[in-house]
Amino acid sequence: MKVTHVLGHNSNWNVDSYLGQNIGDYFLIIAFSHGINYDSKPLLKKVLDVSMIDLQFYGKNTDIQTGKLTEFSFHTSNINTKENTNVYFEKCAQQAIEFQIEKNFKNIIIPLFYENDEVNDIIYAIKTLNKYISKLDNKNHKFFMTLPLANHIIIDKDKIEEILFVCTEMDICFDGYFIACENKPETRKKLTTDIKIFKNLTRVFKTLKQQEFETIYAYANWDAIIYLAQTDIDYITIGTYENLRNFDIKRFTEDISGGGSKGYYFSEKLLNMVRADDVTMLNDTGNINIIKNEKNIFSDIILKDGYPWNIHKPDVNKNYLFTISKILQRVASISDLEFRKEYVLDLIDKAIKNYNYLEENRVYLNNESSNYHLNIWKTYLANS
Amino acid sequence: MASIELTKELLKHFNISEYKQANPGGQKTVFIVNIDNKKYALKIINFADDRFEREVKICKQFDDNKGIPNIIGIEPFEKNTIIIEEYIEGNDLSELIKDYKGNEQKISQLIYATATILIPVWNAKYVHRDLKPQNIRIRNNGEPVVLDFGIARALDDESITATGVQPYTWPFASPEQYSGQKNLISYRTDFFCLGIIAYYLYTNSLPFGNNRGEIYKAFQDDKLIVNSGNEYIDTFCNNVFKKNPSERPRKIELFLKLIEL
């Protein structure tokens, strides 16, 4: 498993943490943020040989914030009309593949034009692009087909089977799949607690792995550990800002960026993000050690009393990158899947105990800082 | 089954000296006939629809495949269409199931050989959809022949049964056939059916129930696990008895490897 940095806004934090603290193994360049000249940026040049690029064919110019996507001449964001054929989108995807080959990416992400469509459109794209790849007869690159699983798809096991059925046909020649899943967490929550999503997304990863495909879990949040607990995943992305950790079709079709924030502290002991204000309260009540990450320089810095919390501070974000990458690496290093699951269940148990301890000491965390997710994780994993 | 007599005109036209009625096969009537001292299968098609044309097409396409009967001739006669087909000396597998009971070696060889016959069919994007002991004929030398491609489906074409009930034989059908999910029918449907045949031969009983209702109910479970009492048969069956076709072996080679003893 390769921990993969998502390079969006403030990519320097990711690259610095990779070069300086050895965090992560690979990079996913976001076309929206970096545009056509990504490879002339000194920062990105340092990691190009361990990078792939998501060209993000999510929506047309008429519907989305395009960022730097329109810099790519073949990009679907250049489409100004409502009416375009599947054949046109296929051509765009083919040019996107050629572009990545020319740029010498080892892992080619095949973009799939997507606007929250029905399963049949995805299936059509998979079949036609598979034919294209089979004719390329290119053994020097690995080809990953994008599977953008919108919320209405991931909650429906029949739709998932229809897609997996086509993805695993005998004539499929992709090396793997690039999976982005729209989890749609509830308001004031960062993670989904929908057990249908746990079940179906687990099945996606398990089935593709069992059928010997490589898998990339793109725009993953820290709940990736419950999927990794049950099957190997070849690449799992870690991202700083929330839009890099939470795939949302809407994010590409309308502007839903939020306002400023003091930021969050990701705690390995709670398996959760704790709001900056709650961190202050934990400090004030003498309970900070209950959530404090061990052997983590970034954590040490930001937990100092009086730290000027801000979402745009590098240490706040690097704390997450360091902590989640350590957890993912530890989980992935357990080759026996039964032991691996037990290990993750144990992590969850300890986190629940820590929450309970805080409550016994009359410290109550609310909203996203609270334990809204661990019980359902535990129930799901223990019974899976 | 009521016996049907062939007309004098038909006997004379095809130079048939002897005949007897064979088991019925779907929408056609089959006779074993003797023409010039050689046995053939004669099929009378009352209504030559797309299914009939498909069967003929498949048999002709795989004419050099020893495991699929050769078609000798097709001719309209009176109001029917007549097919004269190679007659396979031997027995239907359904007549021999006791010989296979408890014999995993023999079952392995049979399923492997049957799957090998179907490799070019599957590679050409056809699926048989009706594999069952009655559709597997065992030559006197023990080699199998796969019969009745009448409800086979070409995966790249619009199915002739695109709407309405999908045809299948209930004891040997897969979950996707029971649930009528035409879009999930593929070579992996045949894998599942071959699994049922393997289990049936080993135990002489069906794996998921003895009637449609029982099997339908069993197929509601997400996990289909069987226990035949034989580790080898169970390993094979439980790998192909995946409710979701996407979880069954993806490559034919993997399927063959599973059945190899």
Side-chain angles (χ1 to χ4, degrees), chain B residues 24-247:
Chain B
Q27 54 179 218
K28 55 188 170 272
T29 312
V30 183
F31 294 87
I32 312 303
V33 299
N34 199 324
I35 300 171
D36 296 334
N37 290 323
K38 199 170 174 193
K39 277 186 183 172
Y40 295 93
L42 180 144
K43 296 178 177 176
I44 302 177
I45 314 292
N46 305 118
F47 176 66
D49 65 359
D50 291 353
R51 289 190 198 182
F52 155 74
E53 285 172 16
R54 178 154 298 155
E55 180 168 13
V56 170
K57 188 181 166 193
I58 293 172
C59 288
K60 283 190 165 173
Q61 187 173 341
F62 301 104
D63 212 20
D64 55 348
N65 189 328
K66 276 174 64 184
I68 296 173
N70 283 336
I71 291 183
I72 312 296
I74 304 168
E75 203 176 310
F77 186 80
E78 293 172 344
K79 288 178 182 172
N80 300 316
T81 301
I82 308 293
I83 306 179
I84 311 273
E85 199 175 87
E86 174 191 9
Y87 175 71
I88 311 295
E89 289 283 359
N91 297 87
D92 279 359
L93 180 59
S94 58
E95 298 161 356
L96 303 171
I97 61 160
K98 286 194 175 116
D99 298 352
Y100 286 85
K101 191 173 182 182
N103 190 337
E104 70 265 33
Q105 181 82 38
K106 205 169 167 175
I107 294 166
S108 157
Q109 284 167 357
L110 174 74
I111 302 295
Y112 191 96
T114 306
T116 305
I117 291 165
L118 289 166
I119 290 173
V121 178
W122 290 328
N123 281 332
K125 296 219 161 193
Y126 287 106
V127 47
H128 188 288
R129 284 205 295 180
D130 197 22
L131 293 171
K132 56 185 177 183
Q134 292 86 342
N135 279 342
I136 298 174
R137 187 103 177 134
I138 307 295
R139 292 184 194 272
N140 290 334
N141 65 3
E143 289 173 2
V145 175
V146 180
L147 310 176
D148 201 353
F149 284 82
I151 67 167
R153 185 180 162 211
L155 297 173
D156 283 343
D157 294 344
E158 279 303 304
S159 171
I160 52 170
T161 50
T163 55
V165 179
Q166 298 294 305
Y168 61 89
T169 303
W170 68 263
F172 296 95
S174 66
E176 61 271 21
Q177 289 175 294
Y178 264 81
S179 58
Q181 289 169 286
K182 176 187 143 255
N183 52 345
L184 298 184
I185 301 283
S186 74
Y187 59 102
R188 290 180 281 191
T189 303
D190 286 347
F191 287 178
F192 194 101
C193 300
L194 286 169
I196 300 178
I197 294 172
Y199 183 95
Y200 180 65
L201 292 175
Y202 189 80
T203 62
N204 283 195
S205 63
L206 292 167
F208 301 113
N210 293 313
N211 57 54
R212 267 177 208 268
E214 283 178 14
I215 298 173
Y216 180 82
K217 199 175 163 197
F219 285 168
Q220 301 312 300
D221 280 348
D222 282 341
K223 284 188 178 168
L224 306 172
I225 305 282
V226 293
N227 185 353
S228 67
N230 178 284
E231 201 184 329
Y232 158 76
I233 294 290
D234 289 346
T235 303
F236 170 65
C237 286
N238 289 325
N239 271 287
V240 295
F241 287 162
K242 301 287 186 190
K243 183 175 172 181
N244 297 310
S246 65
E247 294 170 32

Side-chain angles (χ1 to χ4, degrees), chain A residues 19-241:
Chain A
L19 298 173
Q21 281 80 34
N22 206 21
I23 297 171
D25 314 284
Y26 219 80
F27 293 87
L28 177 66
I29 299 166
I30 297 305
F32 183 93
S33 306
H34 294 288
I36 190 84
N37 294 319
Y38 69 90
D39 54 352
S40 59
K41 294 183 176 181
L43 183 81
L44 267 60
K45 273 184 180 172
K46 296 176 186 173
V47 295
L48 275 182
D49 58 333
V50 282
S51 295
M52 49 195 169
I53 187 166
D54 182 11
L55 290 162
Q56 300 174 302
F57 277 22
Y58 310 117
K60 296 191 284 273
N61 180 289
T62 45
D63 307 314
I64 59 167
Q65 298 291 313
T66 54
K68 294 186 174 178
L69 296 176
T70 50
E71 291 178 7
F72 299 87
S73 59
F74 51 81
H75 203 281
T76 50
S77 63
N78 290 309
I79 299 169
N80 288 310
T81 60
K82 287 277 177 196
E83 285 129 33
N84 282 92
T85 62
N86 282 340
V87 175
Y88 182 84
F89 296 134
E90 271 168 61
K91 288 279 172 223
C92 293
Q94 289 171 9
Q95 286 174 281
I97 294 164
E98 285 165 19
F99 170 81
Q100 291 174 75
I101 292 173
E102 274 171 28
K103 292 288 184 179
N104 210 20
F105 284 104
K106 292 181 196 81
N107 290 340
I108 311 288
I109 312 297
I110 305 167
L112 191 152
F113 177 72
Y114 197 70
E115 292 182 301
N116 207 21
D117 299 343
E118 290 308 315
V119 170
N120 283 345
D121 295 310
I122 300 177
I123 289 173
Y124 175 83
I126 292 171
K127 286 184 172 176
T128 49
L129 289 166
N130 181 60
K131 264 187 199 158
Y132 175 75
I133 297 295
S134 69
K135 285 177 189 157
L136 280 183
D137 195 28
N138 181 326
K139 307 281 182 222
N140 301 321
H141 299 85
K142 285 188 175 175
F143 293 92
F144 292 83
M145 183 70 210
T146 300
L147 289 184
L149 303 172
N151 193 261
H152 73 90
I153 290 176
I154 195 62
I155 60 171
D156 185 329
K157 65 178 181 173
D158 290 336
K159 288 180 181 175
I160 288 296
E161 176 57 16
E162 279 185 64
I163 291 173
L164 286 175
F165 176 80
V166 175
C167 289
T168 59
E169 286 265 72
M170 64 173 148
D171 56 359
I172 290 290
C173 55
F174 304 132
D175 296 280
Y177 290 92
F178 179 87
I179 296 144
C181 178
E182 192 180 30
N183 286 316
K184 276 197 179 166
E186 289 172 30
T187 314
R188 292 185 181 278
K189 306 278 188 291
K190 292 197 179 297
L191 303 173
T192 181
T193 51
D194 187 340
I195 201 150
K196 291 195 292 296
I197 294 181
F198 296 157
K199 277 185 173 177
N200 292 335
L201 190 53
T202 300
R203 192 150 78 75
V204 170
F205 286 117
K206 269 189 171 176
T207 303
L208 293 175
K209 202 70 223 160
Q210 175 207 322
Q211 300 291 12
E212 299 182 337
F213 290 105
E214 289 190 34
T215 49
I216 300 170
Y217 186 11
Y219 309 105
N221 224 326
W222 70 91
D223 54 357
I225 61 175
I226 60 171
Y227 304 109
L228 187 61
Q230 300 170 82
T231 185
D232 289 326
I233 300 173
D234 298 283
Y235 299 81
I236 296 178
T237 68
I238 55 171
T240 49
Y241 290 108

